[in-house]
Amino acid sequence: MSAIPQPGGEQPSLRRYLDQPRIGPTALRIVLGARLRRLRQESGITRVDAGRSIRASDAKITRLERGQVGFKQRDVADLLTLYRVLGEDERAEYVEMARQANLPGWWHQYNDVLEDWFELHVGLEEAASLIRSYEVQFLPGLLQTQDYARVVTRLGYPDSPMSKIDRLVELRLERQKLLYVAEAPILWAVLDEAVLRRPFGGPEVVRAQLEHLIRMTDRPNVTLQIAPFSVGALAAAGTPVTLLRFAEPDLPDKIYLEQLTGAIYLDKQEEIDQYSLIMDRLSAEANPPQDTVPFLRSLLDAMS
């Protein structure tokens, strides 16, 4: 492990983040918070003293350092002064990152339907280099057809008007564009067999969805495995799990556990290690990727 740079010493330039189009505002907030936390700790300054310098509480410093809230450029400037970061160029990069971190992401156009707890996931997904998921109920949103997405969205929002359902489906389709951009993330999904056998929407919807999955396996950044009913060890996961991994050192891995009306985000190293081990076991127990297309075709043949 490399030594932690001291204030005023050599640190990787923040410019590397500012010049990357896929590092959106959510990721920038987390990077900026991590950098400021590191500067504070290296300077031997408490959260209480840091909060006092920007006319705030230590609780706000905690939220800022965890990237949970936006940054005022004035606050960033005052913290940099407290942490003895005085070089004009370096300070300018921090302030510019604060500005960009406060810009709305593309998903903000869906604020009328986007749940607060899911907004963080969309922003992190945008910056991820690897997305690993295990699904037991529905297909991953990034792999759903429009018709399938509409059916499962109606299940989640049974009393909502169709206008809201349509907006949520549109948001899901917009997210899927991530898989087609330059330097797209790797999507590695393990599906319980039950996910593929649930007749959501009827035969035509299911058939179109299975055909779409077959096409998606042709993409170099998509790996799809199926866990057949004969595999029992998969119960170790218990619930759907998504692991988000990032290429940038200031962005820690995240575990995303979605629930009916919310989500849990985990980023402690021991939690990441535990779920990474579970994901590795799931992948080892599931059918190998080369068996996926024959399995999907067998399901299609059974529907004929």
Side-chain angles (χ1 to χ4, degrees), residues 33-87:
R35 286 292 185 95
L36 290 174
R37 179 176 63 249
R38 186 181 304 166
L39 288 172
R40 178 183 60 77
Q41 292 172 341
E42 291 164 358
S43 301
I45 295 172
T46 67
R47 289 191 179 93
V48 172
D49 289 337
R52 187 177 297 118
S53 74
I54 62 170
R55 304 150 296 279
S57 66
D58 60 318
K60 180 176 180 180
I61 293 296
T62 297
R63 292 193 296 271
L64 289 172
E65 290 182 350
R66 298 186 68 179
Q68 295 175 336
V69 293
F71 293 82
K72 294 180 180 178
Q73 295 179 49
R74 175 190 174 187
D75 289 347
V76 171
D78 288 346
L79 288 173
L80 291 174
T81 299
L82 179 66
Y83 303 154
R84 304 189 301 280
V85 177
L86 304 177

Side-chain angles (χ1 to χ4, degrees), residues 170-202:
E170 184 180 333
L171 168 62
R172 188 158 301 180
L173 297 180
E174 283 294 318
R175 286 173 52 212
Q176 294 177 3
K177 294 179 180 179
L178 177 67
L179 297 178
Y180 300 90
V181 301
E183 300 182 4
I186 294 171
L187 174 62
W188 182 1
V190 177
L191 307 178
D192 191 281
E193 181 178 345
V195 173
L196 300 170
R197 292 192 179 277
R198 290 193 174 93
F200 292 127

Side-chain angles (χ1 to χ4, degrees), residues 229-263:
F229 290 137
S230 58
V231 175
L234 300 178
T239 61
V241 179
T242 298
L243 184 153
L244 298 160
R245 181 156 292 162
F246 308 90
E248 303 303 335
D250 286 305
L251 283 169
D253 293 352
K254 292 276 188 182
I255 296 294
Y256 172 73
L257 304 174
E258 186 170 325
Q259 300 173 333
L260 183 61
T261 58

Side-chain angles (χ1 to χ4, degrees), residues 24 32 35 59 75 109 112 114-115 140 173 219 269 302:
L32 181 55
R35 286 292 185 95
D75 289 347
Q109 63 185 301
D112 56 320
L114 182 58
E115 305 282 359
L173 297 180
R219 296 199 59 78
Q269 192 56 54

